[in-house]
Amino acid sequence: MSVTVTNEINKAEVLASGLKKHLEEVKQLGITAEEIKKMEEACEVLRKKDSEVDILRQQATEKSRENHALLDGLKEQMLVFRKAIKQRYTQPDWIKYGVQDKR
């Protein structure tokens, strides 16, 4: 769970606890038990959703690593092919084989 979300959930839970302890007093301010309960439920939903986000982040990280490994392999293969063309043919002929750079 992200630190920011955890901190906000903790603050909300402490607030809800304090408000419930003094419910009769805070009713005068327009704060009801139902509203406090909604805030507590929101904390639970947020905790669950943030956990889901953590799982998605982990999956994205793994996919990104796989993608970078594939890209590295592709670049290495392209390098081998370019090198073969550059060693065998003159620079004006490189473009004919799809070698775009002149280095």
Side-chain angles (χ1 to χ4, degrees), residues 42-87:
C43 288
E44 288 305 312
V45 170
L46 181 58
R47 183 176 280 119
K48 181 182 175 203
K49 292 294 181 184
D50 196 51
S51 190
E52 291 172 8
V53 168
D54 283 343
I55 291 168
L56 291 172
R57 279 190 189 115
Q58 182 60 35
Q59 290 173 345
T61 298
E62 290 170 12
K63 293 287 183 186
S64 180
R65 284 186 188 134
E66 290 172 10
N67 202 34
H68 285 288
L70 289 170
L71 179 60
D72 290 344
L74 177 65
K75 286 180 175 182
E76 183 62 33
Q77 190 172 25
M78 289 171 37
L79 181 65
V80 169
F81 291 167
R82 282 188 197 124
K83 188 175 181 182
I85 295 297
K86 288 179 180 182
Q87 289 176 349

Side-chain angles (χ1 to χ4, degrees), residues 82-99 101-103:
R82 282 188 197 124
K83 188 175 181 182
I85 295 297
K86 288 179 180 182
Q87 289 176 349
R88 175 78 169 93
Y89 299 99
T90 62
Q91 186 174 343
D93 290 332
W94 293 354
I95 195 73
K96 183 168 58 172
Y97 298 98
V99 177
D101 60 2
K102 294 188 179 193
R103 292 182 258 161

Side-chain angles (χ1 to χ4, degrees), residues 18-60:
L19 292 173
K20 284 169 42 175
K21 287 179 185 175
H22 302 284
L23 187 56
E24 292 306 315
E25 293 174 48
V26 297
K27 277 185 181 178
Q28 297 171 10
L29 302 173
I31 299 172
T32 65
E34 292 80 29
E35 291 173 319
I36 297 170
K37 185 176 180 183
K38 283 182 185 178
M39 186 170 66
E40 291 173 323
E41 290 169 353
C43 288
E44 288 305 312
V45 170
L46 181 58
R47 183 176 280 119
K48 181 182 175 203
K49 292 294 181 184
D50 196 51
S51 190
E52 291 172 8
V53 168
D54 283 343
I55 291 168
L56 291 172
R57 279 190 189 115
Q58 182 60 35
Q59 290 173 345

